[in-house]
Amino acid sequence: MLIADSVTVKGRHEQLVPPTSLSVQRGEVHLVVADPQISRTALALALSGRMQPTSGTVAWGHSEALKTLRRHSALLDSPQVNEPESHMKVRDVVGEDLALIPGPIWRKPRTKKWISEHGFDDVAADWVDAIDPARRLELQLLLAAENPHVQMLVLDSPDRHDLHDESWMDLLTEFASSPREFAVVAIVSGIPCDWDGPVSYLGPLPEQPEEETPEETGFDGFVQEELDLDLPEPTSQVPVIDQPASEEPAAETSEAKDN
């Protein structure tokens, strides 16, 4: 299990990663929303043990040792860090990654055999940046899984490629639900519309605006503009009631009678 507690990374001129916390279980895909690209890369390096955080802690299981975190994690496709180089062919990328697996050389898979077993024969001689992005991502995931010590996969911006969200999400879910039960962390620029799994954010969780509740009003609270009616303006004067014509005139005074 990965536990990151208030991790920060400071760059040369500014803070790249504000205090960020998250936890990821094995068998789970966890998205972390971060921007810009340099912040995503800095966080990926810190979560995979390739960089010491400026402050805060990152632990794998019960250990906060950077060596333990690095041993059990793999950083994938980080721009300008370890993304497949465009001048390399697929067979060269495979041979280089297999050579980096810990252990004696006689235990490591042979490049040609590995390519054949995993179905990359048709693109073995192609430039790695020319093959379909989904197959390139699958290639990197499979190569990372060849290291028996790796239990966590950290992906830097898998959504930056010309891929439908479903393509890379399905691949990550497949590796998380495999018998190895990888803990998968994908640091992305935005949440895919169909994603319903766990999500964390760079820095504190964004504050949600408070919902405005309408004021309670009775009948007397109706507003003329809301109803769009041409009603007369209210007045405080008491209306004058006309006297009916049938009423008898007032009694004559005694002076009038005498005349």
Side-chain angles (χ1 to χ4, degrees):
M1 179 180 182
L2 173 73
I3 301 176
D5 184 15
S6 300
V7 172
T8 70
V9 176
K10 186 177 180 181
R12 294 181 62 184
H13 304 291
E14 60 184 357
Q15 190 177 55
L16 301 178
V17 178
T20 301
S21 300
L22 64 137
S23 62
V24 186
Q25 301 275 358
R26 293 189 63 177
E28 173 183 86
V29 179
H30 193 111
L31 302 188
V32 185
V33 180
D35 220 24
Q37 177 64 63
I38 191 171
S39 294
R40 291 194 290 274
T41 298
L43 182 60
L45 291 170
L47 294 181
S48 61
R50 272 63 180 177
M51 175 188 288
Q52 180 73 49
T54 305
S55 64
T57 59
V58 183
W60 178 253
H62 299 289
S63 175
E64 296 181 5
L66 203 64
K67 182 179 179 180
T68 301
L69 180 61
R70 190 185 301 116
R71 173 182 172 86
H72 293 294
S73 65
L75 175 65
L76 279 72
D77 200 27
S78 187
Q80 300 183 11
V81 178
N82 70 342
E83 63 182 336
E85 298 181 29
S86 58
H87 66 273
M88 298 181 69
K89 296 190 175 182
V90 171
R91 60 170 174 255
D92 300 325
V93 172
V94 173
E96 185 177 270
D97 280 23
L98 293 179
L100 295 175
I101 298 174
I105 190 171
W106 54 269
R107 285 186 179 177
K108 299 178 183 182
R110 297 293 182 264
T111 301
K112 188 175 181 179
K113 182 179 180 181
W114 190 96
I115 289 175
S116 179
E117 288 178 347
H118 291 86
F120 290 95
D121 277 324
D122 58 323
V123 294
D126 293 349
W127 300 110
V128 69
D129 64 340
I131 68 174
D132 179 72
R135 294 195 73 186
R136 186 166 62 244
L137 178 59
E138 182 184 15
L139 175 70
Q140 295 176 80
L141 289 165
L142 288 168
L143 287 169
E146 283 295 329
N147 186 338
H149 302 296
V150 168
Q151 299 172 340
M152 178 175 65
L153 306 170
V154 180
L155 292 96
D156 183 354
S157 312
D159 55 342
R160 77 182 188 275
H161 300 295
D162 188 18
L163 276 171
H164 292 295
D165 289 335
E166 294 81 3
S167 299
W168 60 266
M169 287 192 301
D170 288 347
L171 275 171
L172 302 192
T173 302
E174 179 183 342
F175 276 79
S177 59
S178 69
R180 295 273 295 275
E181 293 187 316
F182 293 102
V184 182
V185 183
I187 306 173
V188 295
S189 59
I191 306 173
C193 58
D194 295 332
W195 179 253
D196 59 357
V199 176
S200 296
Y201 294 85
L202 190 73
L205 186 68
E207 294 184 2
Q208 301 296 326
E210 295 183 2
E211 296 184 2
E212 296 183 1
T213 56
E215 296 181 2
E216 296 182 0
T217 57
F219 179 81
D220 294 337
F222 281 97
V223 180
Q224 178 177 340
E225 289 78 10
E226 292 180 357
L227 298 178
D228 196 23
L229 298 176
D230 188 16
L231 300 179
E233 293 294 331
T235 177
S236 59
Q237 297 179 355
V238 178
V240 178
I241 302 175
D242 295 335
Q243 185 178 13
S246 60
E247 287 188 5
E248 294 293 334
E252 297 180 352
T253 62
S254 57
E255 183 178 351
K257 286 182 179 180
D258 294 340
N259 292 336

